[in-house]
């Protein structure tokens, strides 16, 4: 491509830029920006696009490098391009009799907020508007175009306040005693123009420019300058977009859909964006502008109606849509205008679509030979798959929400309200559907949460206990719903004036955060019903497409996908959804069963080591049973089991009654128990005596857990199965902790295997979640056979804020003020935490080349974070069962983007 | 030095290893280990040392590399060396008539636990012992030596349990009906020997070796092997000692101080270790072994008594001491034995000494021409200076402790017990001396702490609030004294059966952790009295020496020393102690004055922004006054002022009465206040809504503080002073926070200077205390002109544990189990946190070459950490006023060790 050429025409007559098009538009986009290259490509494909030209991004850079002076010769090139447009359209820029009007738009390589927007109807002035009125035979139309132009030019090009111009219009409307814009007379519009010109003079300090070339060059100047404004710079810095790219300027001839009944405008999708069906889907209005379609004041007609009025135009439009699909190899979202019987395409872009449509279209494009399987994998947003897996309400049956909280765990749930986990369990055992409503949940609520259809909390954010466990369990969950005021003592809650008593039906939509009164019917999604055997695959056509796409993803991806699961049931569902093992089994929930909790409490409050060991021994059979179940369910797959993580005080009741009960059951005094509660109290539990720190001071706990794991594994081995336990030490920060805990585990492994007389394949490794662990990962890898990044805690400690405290209190402000582009608990902070992950990978592999590296934080199910995990070289990601397909697809896309 | 030679003799006759001695003993220590080179040097200096030889460290490495086989030819070399000792001593190894007995000791380059200890009396067997008895004319002596030898050989060389051997002795004592070892008869000792040989056979599985050469070679083998044992390896790994150094083996002829009244043994310091006075200081026993001096069963005689009994020996000893001092250029701690009138020096090492002695000796050695000033600086342990600066009890007047806690802030304090800060303030205002006793303290107690003589808490560790603030204020403080049980309601506490009521006198020694009943007189140290003008320098001779030494340190050091001070008084004292500015002024304490707190609370609970601004404006004059005072006191020195750091809930009362009071004073309802308390509640306050996070959501707070700072500075400037404020943003983790807060501060600076019409020199910078801040330090440095490492929080977040929770709960176990070598809150974790500090320095300097780098965490006053700060290239350390001299000295030593 000619590197000194600054202006590129796109007109039917212009020579096609064949080389650039052949090069796949890559170089073109750098030079002409996204919009410019698209207009160029459509024009070259023979699609009718209003003629125009693009000024290159290089010109913008030259402009900015040269103290905002237009590069020498640019004016000549622009003039020549305008002349070419004049010749091609048979109109003349600034001509009174047959005026050429232009639009000016910015167009960088990447779409970017902060850049100058659109100026339409450029070329109008007091004389030209008269000619336009004559030409269109419509004075109202011409002056309406003119007053819009002055406003856009003043606002967009000169930075005058848009409101000032709108007030002119309002003033005239009041004068004429009308309420609708369309009711203002032509005379009124002329008056608006005069008022606007005054406003312009006052705000800008100079008269409105009447010379069309001056209007054009000032607009070009404004586009170039907007590349260097603060907001644009900040956006690029945050998004790491090169400041030297520059923006292109697109100048295009105006076409009008409001020039009579043979004119019109509309939008369409080339396929159904809801279902993906291969049928044109769109709507249009006769004698209207784009704004009218958007404003919704008139009801648009279905696109098929166009066939009846203008069959040739319709056929041409269908042909163009087919051409666009063939060219972009995708479902397109197009805008078009018909000006006095002539069809113009104004824009095309890949169309947004539902998950169902995305999968249907991706598979169809492969069948149609337009896309390879690898390309098809790129056409579905991984996060969208969520829609296909969670139970949902029937939209038609859904009542209005009475309150809104945070959409923490997707899906729909209805149930009778209960305010305690105990009641949830009781009612569920009695066959009731219940919805658990709490201020917040804690590990003590696990059984209640499991028993409930869904969880609603009045506090907490997307990573609160309720949210995390809700997603983990696949339970719909709405959190932080501050409108819900709970009165535990009265067994009721209120939302505003509305009282809700225990037993009343309430529904929540975890995909939207809505809280509704009454029962709303829900059903598992088709795909889940097929997986659970409740529906035949042939009755769920989407299942087949889903399975096909996931198969392609699996063929492509380099990253393994495991699941986080604490029960055999979760694990089995995850396997059906494609997980190849368990990346995180948490063991703390296992201690909350009735007998277990008491024994655990006995262990905590024991008077001496002997009593303590007795209590620990009593827990052994329960733990063995837990591990037996989960290892059996995951036969042949690795199961990473994390040793006890939370601090001990979570296992003791805070209330005196509960403490008295333990005292009674352990034969100790209430004072003893209370003293223990005080001793275990922590000012900052997140930073407390937990994880491997417990293992150092209470070695009998990890010893008991390790013994249970290996006894379970040996038993399975004897039954001919192939258990693969991997024991994971939590919260490691030092080599010393790793070596001490590893020894405890290895001693048990050796002892149990000797007792049982069988050998079991196993590994011992660590979480990497404490920042220091990443810094000394080489030392830790001397003992650890695998690392699993616990990016939830890593983020908390690395940023120095607790998610429960931060999400409610300041993360929203941080996002609003653009300190964060995304919540770092949802999308892994690659810039900061990513450095620690990369460092730990490098040091870990240096010390132990075959070390297994994975992630088990919630980021393992976030597509952006999965992409990072792929690039940083992890072996796998692990996520909650329902996010397994998302991770599989995201992993495939990561491999396509960055092959490894 | 000959690299193939494995055995080096040290005998009066042996050729001096001149080259090695000239090389300053450096190469010698690598080859012969610490003990071996010392023995060699003493021998070469003509000092009478029992002859012997050293087997090189290289030999150990060869042995271990060669599957624990003795290198070829070693036996010949050893035999030749033994022959040389025989020739030199006129005794014969294994000879019955005139036996040569040997000791065998390990001796690595660095002293190291886990290595083989000492074997004495080697060469004895059933025949030789008879000859020894004859020669010494003392059968008891000979068999006692023999039974000790068997026990040591079995225990140390063969790893048999020492207890088994001790039981043999106990058995015979019981048989003979005696209780003291010395009462056992010679026959009894013979029996012990026989019993021990059986025990040996049982435990080791082979008979006790009777062949002296076999005894010797087995002992050498054991020393070499001990280099490779687990404990030694672990120790070296943790302390990063090269595993390839190897250990030497020292074989030395035995001498006996218990061969009659012309024999004896003793220890001595070449100068007074308490005062540093240049006079021999030691004690000895006639007819005794080293063990007898240690055991304390006989009262030793002062060394001067030796002159009366053995004037020649005494004179020789004095001459040797002078020689040693001249050779080692230090005060030495020596052990000696007189065997039948002949003086032998067994060991010399640099003597331990008090701070007073260390300073006195260091200055004297410079006066005597033995040391340069730079070397003198190395002779005082920086931490020891503490002793010279804190008020102390008169040791004689000190009663016995009734309880012991953690020695958190050194110094002595007596006062009438009070249990609330309010009472402390009241009583202090009434002229009473009070001691504040609390479970723990919080920022609300600041005024009470300031009013008290000292602080005693029943919970918390060395970095609890009470401890940190106590040290900061220079207040004696004992924390974590669990024996103290407080009954706030009853205004009393108890220690065991002892009740202590409000108003009773109690004393605490913050240097030892002792709690005593009654009043014990204290006085500020002489040095402090000179600095405060309460004593003339000429009346405090130590002051002159202290000042001289500190002057030398200042000449040497490269690292600046600032102080952490929140009040003008603290700041002034720090300047007197040598600080060149303030590295950390915390502003939160400034809000706890009566009017201030109410206004601050009004700001927090304000109903709207307007009310909030009114309350903030009301705080402005107070803050301006605070900053005026401190900037004035530090005229011409930089003052780093940290913006508000703690979370807002710390400023609201937890109790309903207090909440009601705020409600009354702000005209709001109790429910409003309680709702605010609930809303501000945090699960993990350490990781909560504080520091710059407050500044993002409550920008009026930093704006008010910045305005107060610049208004104060401008006022001083107008008075002709030179204020240098540096505004520090706490808890930064991202570039965005830094840019937003920096803008708030710069806007105020600009506005105030424009209003006041003067320019003030100032900087804006950040704490680096959040791990992420270190990772993105380059981005932060785009806005921050300085970094101050807050290593307290960095350690908490980097390790992922809160100091308050960790120090009481598991850090002791971590140190005991050697996960930590030191408490990372006391000594900066160079391996982990040091990486973050180094990374931030590097990235910060890359982005801003003139960035100012310092540390204001408590580590800034810890000598080991100061050494790291020097090496990593910081510009300064900042510490509490009384640690300023310590930091100055440590900085000087760091420069000598690692010049920059």
């Amino acid at each position: 491509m000619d590197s000194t050429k600054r202006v590129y025409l796109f007109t039917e007559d212009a020579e096609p830029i064949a080389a650039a098009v052949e090069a796949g538009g890559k170089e073109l986009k750098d030079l002409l920006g996204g919009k410019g290259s698209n207009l160029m490509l459509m024009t070259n494909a023979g699609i009718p696009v209003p003629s125009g030209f693009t000024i290159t991004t290089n010109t913008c850079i030259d402009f900015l490098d040269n103290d905002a002076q237009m590069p020498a010769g640019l004016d000549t090139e622009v003039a020549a391009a305008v002349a070419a447009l004049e010749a091609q359209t048979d109109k003349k820029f600034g001509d009174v009799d047959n005026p050429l009007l232009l639009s000016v738009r910015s167009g960088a390589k990447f779409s970017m907020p902060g850049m100058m927007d659109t100026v339409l109807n450029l070329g109008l002035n007091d004389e030209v508007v008269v000619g336009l009125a004559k030409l269109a035979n419509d004075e109202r139309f011409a002056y309406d175009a003119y007053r819009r132009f002055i406003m856009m030019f003043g606002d967009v090009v000169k930075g005058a306040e848009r409101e000032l111009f709108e007030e002119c219009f309002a003033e005239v409307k009041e004068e004429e005693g009308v309420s609708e814009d369309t009711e203002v007379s032509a005379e009124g519009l002329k008056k608006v123009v005069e008022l606007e010109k005054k406003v312009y003079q006052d705000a800008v300090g100079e008269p409105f420019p009447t010379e069309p070339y001056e209007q054009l060059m000032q607009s070009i100047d404004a586009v170039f300058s907007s590349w260097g404004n603060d907001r644009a710079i900040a956006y690029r810095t945050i998004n790491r977009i090169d400041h030297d790219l520059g923006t292109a300027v697109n100048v295009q001839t105006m076409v009008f859909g409001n020039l009579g009944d043979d004119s019109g405008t509309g939008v369409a999708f080339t396929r159904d964006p809801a279902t993906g069906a291969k049928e044109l889907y769109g709507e249009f209005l006769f004698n209207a502008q784009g704004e009218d379609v958007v404003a919704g004041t008139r009801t648009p007609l279905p696109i098929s109606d166009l066939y009846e009025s203008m069959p040739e135009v319709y056929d041409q439009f269908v042909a163009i849509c087919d051409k666009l699909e063939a060219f972009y190899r995708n479902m397109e979202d197009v805008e078009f205008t018909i000006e006095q019987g002539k069809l113009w395409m104004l824009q095309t872009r890949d169309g947004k679509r539902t998950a169902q449509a995305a999968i249907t279209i991706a598979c169809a494009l492969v069948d149609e030979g337009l896309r390879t399987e690898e390309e098809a994998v790129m056409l579905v947003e991984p996060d969208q798959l969520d829609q296909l897996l969670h139970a949902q309400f029937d939209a038609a049956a859904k009542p209005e929400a009475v309150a809104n909280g945070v959409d923490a765990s997707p899906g729909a749930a209805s149930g009778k309200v209960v305010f305690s986990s105990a009641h949830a369990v009781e009612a569920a055992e009695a066959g009731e559907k219940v919805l658990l409503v709490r201020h917040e949940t804690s590990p003590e609520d696990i059984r209640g949460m499991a028993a409930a259809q869904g969880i609603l909390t009045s506090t907490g954010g997307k990573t609160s206990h309720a949210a995390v466990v809700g997603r983990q369990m696949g339970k719909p969950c709405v959190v932080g719903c501050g409108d819900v005021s709970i009165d535990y003592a009265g067994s009721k809650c209120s939302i505003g004036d509305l009282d809700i008593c225990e037993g009343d039906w309430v529904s929540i939509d975890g995909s939207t955060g809505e809280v509704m009164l009454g029962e709303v019917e829900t059903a598992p999604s088709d795909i889940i019903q097929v997986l659970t055997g409740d529906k035949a695959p042939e009755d769920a056509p989407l299942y087949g497409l889903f399975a096909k796409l996931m198969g392609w993803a699996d063929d492509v991806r380099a990253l393994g996908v495991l699941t986080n699961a604490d029960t055999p049931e979760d694990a089995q569902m995850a396997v059906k959804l494609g997980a190849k093992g368990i990346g995180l089994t948490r063991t703390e929930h296992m201690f909350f069963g009735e007998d277990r909790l008491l024994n655990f409490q006995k262990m905590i409050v024991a008077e001496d080591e002997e009593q303590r060991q007795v209590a620990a021994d009593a827990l052994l059979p329960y733990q063995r049973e837990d591990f037996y179940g989960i290892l059996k369910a995951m036969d042949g797959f690795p199961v990473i089991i994390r040793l006890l993580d939370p601090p001990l005080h979570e296992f003791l009741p805070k209330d005196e009654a509960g403490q008295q009960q333990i005292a009674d059951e352990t034969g100790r005094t209430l004072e003893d128990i209370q003293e223990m509660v005080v001793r275990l109290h922590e000012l900052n539990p997140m930073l407390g005596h937990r994880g491997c720190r417990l293992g150092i001071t209470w070695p009998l706990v990890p010893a008991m857990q390790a013994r249970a794991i290996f006894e379970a594994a040996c038993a399975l081995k004897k039954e001919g199965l192939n258990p693969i336990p991997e024991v994971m030490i939590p919260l490691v920060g030092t080599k010393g902790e790793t070596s001490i805990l590893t020894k405890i585990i290895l001693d048990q492994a050796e002892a149990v295997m000797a007792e049982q007389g069988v050998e079991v394949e196993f590994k011992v490794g660590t979480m990497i979640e404490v920042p220091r662990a990443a810094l000394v990962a080489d030392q830790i890898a001397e003992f650890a056979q695998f690392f699993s990044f616990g990016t939830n805690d890593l983020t908390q400690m690395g940023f120095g804020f607790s998610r429960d405290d931060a999400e409610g209190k300041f993360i929203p402000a941080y996002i609003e003020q653009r300190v964060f582009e995304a919540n770092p608990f949802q999308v892994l902070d690659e810039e900061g935490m990513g450095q620690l992950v990369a460092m730990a990978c490098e040091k870990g592999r240096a010390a132990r080349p075959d070390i297994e590296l994975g992630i088990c934080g919630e980021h393992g199910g976030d597509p952006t974070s999965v992409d990072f995990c792929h690039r940083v070289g992890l072996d796998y990601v692990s996520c909650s069962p329902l996010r397994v397909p998302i991770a599989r697809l995201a992993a495939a896309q990561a491999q396509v983007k960055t092959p490894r």
Side-chain angles (χ1 to χ4, degrees), chain A:
Chain A
M1 212 174 277
D2 183 350
S3 69
T4 60
K5 192 169 158 68
R6 296 189 185 282
V7 175
Y8 285 84
L9 277 170
F10 49 91
T11 67
E12 280 177 35
D13 312 333
E15 280 176 57
I17 307 176
V21 175
E22 275 165 23
K26 180 81 182 160
E27 203 186 333
L28 202 64
K29 203 169 168 184
D30 284 336
L31 192 73
L32 303 183
K35 180 183 287 282
S37 61
N38 238 3
L39 291 168
M40 179 74 73
L41 290 170
M42 281 203 288
T43 305
N44 279 292
I47 291 165
V49 170
S51 313
F53 58 87
T54 304
I55 308 175
T56 66
T57 56
N58 293 343
T59 313
C60 172
I61 297 302
D62 290 347
F63 171 88
L64 293 173
D65 284 353
N66 193 24
D67 281 331
Q69 298 298 310
M70 287 290 176
L74 179 64
D75 48 356
T76 322
E77 274 194 77
V78 168
V82 171
L85 296 186
E86 288 173 337
Q88 205 256 335
T89 57
D90 244 349
K91 297 179 176 180
K92 237 176 140 50
F93 193 44
D95 190 63
V96 175
D97 295 329
N98 191 19
L100 173 69
L101 299 185
L102 299 175
S103 66
V104 176
R105 293 178 177 93
S106 69
K109 182 172 182 181
F110 304 105
S111 158
M112 225 174 75
M115 291 289 296
M116 202 198 83
D117 211 14
T118 306
V119 179
L120 300 177
N121 306 337
L122 190 141
L124 283 174
N125 57 27
D126 291 352
E127 289 78 41
V128 173
V129 71
V130 176
L132 183 66
K134 265 189 215 151
L135 199 72
N137 197 18
D138 188 344
E139 204 172 27
R140 249 203 115 271
F141 158 75
Y143 281 93
D144 191 47
Y146 192 21
R147 67 108 192 150
R148 284 175 200 258
F149 170 48
I150 298 171
M151 177 169 69
M152 280 191 270
F153 191 88
D155 165 23
V156 172
V157 177
K158 294 296 179 180
E161 270 183 66
R162 193 180 182 93
E163 266 185 19
L164 298 173
F165 297 99
E166 281 169 351
E167 278 166 14
C168 302
F169 200 39
E171 193 180 322
V172 170
K173 270 160 73 177
E174 204 178 313
E175 270 183 31
E176 298 200 344
V178 301
S179 61
E180 294 300 317
D181 291 7
T182 47
E183 294 169 321
V184 177
S185 68
E187 285 313 304
L189 289 168
K190 285 182 194 172
K191 199 162 180 185
V192 173
V193 164
E194 290 313 309
L195 289 170
E196 283 191 345
K197 285 198 284 188
K198 283 204 198 85
V199 160
Y200 183 96
Q201 165 89 45
D202 289 350
V204 180
E206 60 191 29
F208 181 74
T210 52
E211 167 55 45
Y213 265 102
E214 201 186 325
Q215 294 169 356
L216 178 58
M217 294 312 285
Q218 286 193 20
S219 298
I220 293 170
D221 187 302
V223 172
F224 285 162
S225 298
S226 71
W227 178 257
N229 76 28
D230 288 350
R231 191 158 165 229
I233 290 174
Y235 181 85
R236 290 197 297 271
T237 302
I238 289 162
N239 291 281
R240 280 174 284 172
I241 295 174
D242 189 348
H243 294 293
D244 291 338
L245 287 177
T247 180
V249 182
N250 298 294
V251 179
Q252 205 171 4
T253 57
M254 289 295 302
V255 291
F256 296 97
N258 55 346
L259 280 178
D261 290 341
D262 57 348
S263 299
T265 192
V267 296
F269 292 90
T270 56
R271 305 190 186 211
D272 187 326
T275 66
K278 195 176 178 181
E279 50 197 26
L280 208 53
Y281 181 99
E283 44 195 27
F284 80 109
L285 277 173
F286 283 116
N287 196 12
Q289 286 187 292
E291 286 172 23
D292 301 321
V293 181
V294 177
T297 42
R298 290 163 59 191
T299 306
L301 308 167
I303 191 82
S304 50
D305 283 12
L306 185 60
Y307 180 69
E308 282 150 46
S309 325
M310 297 178 159
E312 281 137 49
V313 171
Y314 180 80
D315 287 345
Q316 187 193 2
F317 181 69
V318 170
I320 287 171
C321 286
D322 287 347
K323 202 166 188 174
L324 285 171
E325 277 213 341
F327 187 78
Y328 288 103
R329 304 180 301 137
N330 207 338
M331 185 267 269
E332 292 295 293
D333 168 1
V334 300
E335 291 176 21
F336 63 95
T337 284
I338 303 162
E339 189 185 59
Q340 297 176 322
K342 161 83 175 154
L343 176 66
W344 296 102
M345 299 305 293
L346 300 185
Q347 174 156 302
T348 185
R349 56 187 171 196
D350 296 344
K352 301 251 179 266
R353 62 206 76 177
T354 64
Q356 181 185 344
I359 290 179
T360 305
I361 291 167
C363 291
L365 291 175
V366 172
D367 289 345
E368 293 163 26
L370 286 174
R371 291 284 190 175
T372 64
E373 293 170 357
E374 186 176 294
E375 287 171 343
V377 159
M378 303 303 285
L379 294 178
V380 180
E381 281 293 326
D383 263 334
Q384 283 192 307
L385 297 180
D386 231 21
Q387 300 171 17
L388 305 178
L389 301 173
H390 285 93
Q392 283 182 303
F393 291 124
D394 179 2
K398 209 165 143 181
E400 204 174 338
V402 293
N404 279 281
V406 177
D407 51 325
S409 176
S414 291
K416 291 184 176 176
V417 163
V418 290
F419 298 102
S420 79
S421 287
H423 287 191
V425 173
E426 271 170 37
E429 281 170 359
E432 302 271 19
K433 283 182 165 187
V434 296
L435 191 80
L436 180 62
V437 180
R438 303 278 303 162
H439 285 311
E440 58 192 32
T441 63
S442 75
E444 296 191 28
D445 293 313
I446 294 298
R447 292 178 65 231
M449 294 172 76
Q453 299 299 308
I455 300 108
L456 170 63
T457 71
S458 58
T459 63
K462 278 200 175 176
T463 53
S464 62
H465 180 267
V468 173
V469 175
R471 285 196 292 277
Q472 175 72 25
M473 290 179 168
K475 294 273 175 198
C477 180
V478 171
V479 300
C481 189
D483 293 342
V484 176
S485 171
I486 305 175
D487 170 9
Y488 284 129
S491 281
K492 60 178 185 176
C493 67
S494 60
I495 297 174
D497 299 335
L498 196 70
D499 275 347
I500 299 172
C501 297
E502 186 143 317
D504 289 351
W505 278 88
V506 166
S507 299
I508 57 169
D509 188 335
S511 313
T512 62
E514 289 164 294
V515 179
M516 292 149 288
L517 295 184
E519 183 177 8
V520 184
E521 278 299 317
T522 67
S525 77
D526 279 6
I527 289 173
I528 295 294
Q529 289 193 46
V530 173
L531 290 174
T532 53
D534 293 336
K535 197 166 212 167
E538 52 275 22
D539 295 337
L542 193 58
Y543 175 77
L545 297 175
F546 169 80
K548 191 193 277 186
L549 188 86
M550 295 312 298
W552 296 337
D554 290 343
D555 290 344
V556 169
R557 69 186 160 93
L559 198 59
V561 177
L562 310 185
T563 193
N564 300 349
D566 300 347
T567 65
E569 295 71 33
D570 279 356
Q572 272 156 349
M573 175 51 82
V575 168
K576 285 176 184 152
L577 287 164
K580 298 295 184 196
I582 296 185
L584 174 63
T585 292
R586 289 172 294 192
T587 54
E588 43 272 27
H589 296 150
M590 300 176 178
F591 293 114
F592 279 96
E594 203 122 328
D595 295 346
R596 300 163 176 221
L597 186 56
L598 179 60
N599 274 304
F600 201 85
Q601 290 167 336
K602 277 185 183 167
M603 189 190 73
I604 296 174
V605 304
E607 271 178 296
D608 55 37
E609 282 307 308
E610 201 180 327
Q611 272 191 11
R612 184 156 288 155
Q613 190 63 55
V614 168
D617 290 346
L619 286 166
L620 179 66
Y622 294 112
Q623 280 269 282
R624 186 172 53 220
E625 188 189 337
D626 294 328
F627 298 133
Y628 180 89
I630 207 150
L631 286 166
K632 187 169 186 176
M634 296 303 280
D635 181 37
F637 287 131
V639 176
I640 299 183
I641 300 167
R642 182 176 72 183
L643 300 179
L644 189 70
D645 188 46
L648 296 182
H649 57 75
E650 288 199 6
F651 297 92
L652 292 184
K654 311 271 175 291
D655 60 309
E656 195 170 305
Q659 291 165 353
Q660 183 63 57
Q661 195 186 342
I662 298 185
D664 295 345
E665 278 162 347
T666 57
R668 307 203 57 195
T669 65
L670 178 61
E671 288 67 37
D672 286 344
I673 306 301
Q674 287 178 334
E675 195 201 309
M676 192 47 136
V677 168
V678 169
R679 201 189 308 162
L680 293 178
H681 171 74
E682 296 187 304
L683 296 174
N684 295 282
M686 164 65 44
L687 301 178
H689 190 179
R690 63 187 193 95
C692 68
R693 298 163 194 161
L694 276 177
I696 301 283
T697 54
W698 296 61
L700 82 173
V701 178
M704 181 275 287
Q705 291 198 296
R707 171 162 282 274
I709 291 166
F710 292 111
E711 286 184 358
C714 286
L716 287 163
K717 192 79 181 183
K718 284 182 183 169
E719 293 171 27
L721 298 186
N722 180 26
I724 313 176
E726 303 194 0
V727 185
M728 179 153 75
I729 308 167
L731 220 66
V732 156
T734 63
K735 178 175 167 172
E737 292 165 330
T738 321
S739 76
I740 291 170
L741 269 293
T742 303
K743 186 169 186 322
I744 291 172
I745 297 161
L746 292 180
D747 285 351
Q748 292 296 330
E750 200 178 330
V752 172
M753 291 196 268
E755 287 161 24
Q756 303 289 324
V758 283
E759 288 286 317
V760 169
E761 183 187 342
F762 73 98
K763 283 184 176 168
V764 179
T766 59
M767 297 281 285
I768 300 288
E769 54 190 334
V770 168
R772 191 181 190 278
L775 298 167
V776 299
D778 45 348
Q779 297 179 11
I780 291 171
E782 285 179 39
F783 298 94
Q785 293 174 285
F786 63 87
F787 286 166
S788 177
F789 291 95
T791 47
N792 297 2
D793 273 11
L794 189 66
T795 301
Q796 298 196 86
M797 294 170 186
F799 276 93
F801 48 66
S802 133
R803 61 192 184 195
D804 281 329
D805 297 318
E807 289 198 324
K809 296 206 170 82
F810 56 84
I811 286 186
Y814 269 48
I815 290 173
E816 192 190 322
Q817 296 185 46
R818 300 180 69 93
V819 174
F820 292 153
E821 281 305 294
N823 181 341
F825 293 117
Q826 287 168 16
V827 179
L828 186 70
D829 160 47
E830 189 174 335
E831 208 163 36
M833 299 311 106
Q835 281 190 56
L836 289 175
V837 173
M839 189 185 297
C841 288
E842 195 181 314
K843 291 188 176 197
R845 283 220 169 96
R848 183 186 290 267
D850 66 346
I851 194 164
E852 183 183 278
L853 301 172
I855 181 176
C856 65
E858 281 202 78
H859 299 102
D862 166 65
T864 309
S865 310
V866 169
D867 186 72
F868 168 74
C869 293
H870 170 85
R871 280 181 284 115
V872 83
L874 296 193
D875 297 310
Y876 69 85
V877 296
S878 184
C879 55
S880 56
L882 288 182
R883 292 198 79 83
V884 164
I886 295 167
R888 287 159 71 196
L889 184 55
Q893 296 189 351
Q895 168 69 12
V896 173
K897 285 183 212 154
T898 319
R900 79 177 191 196

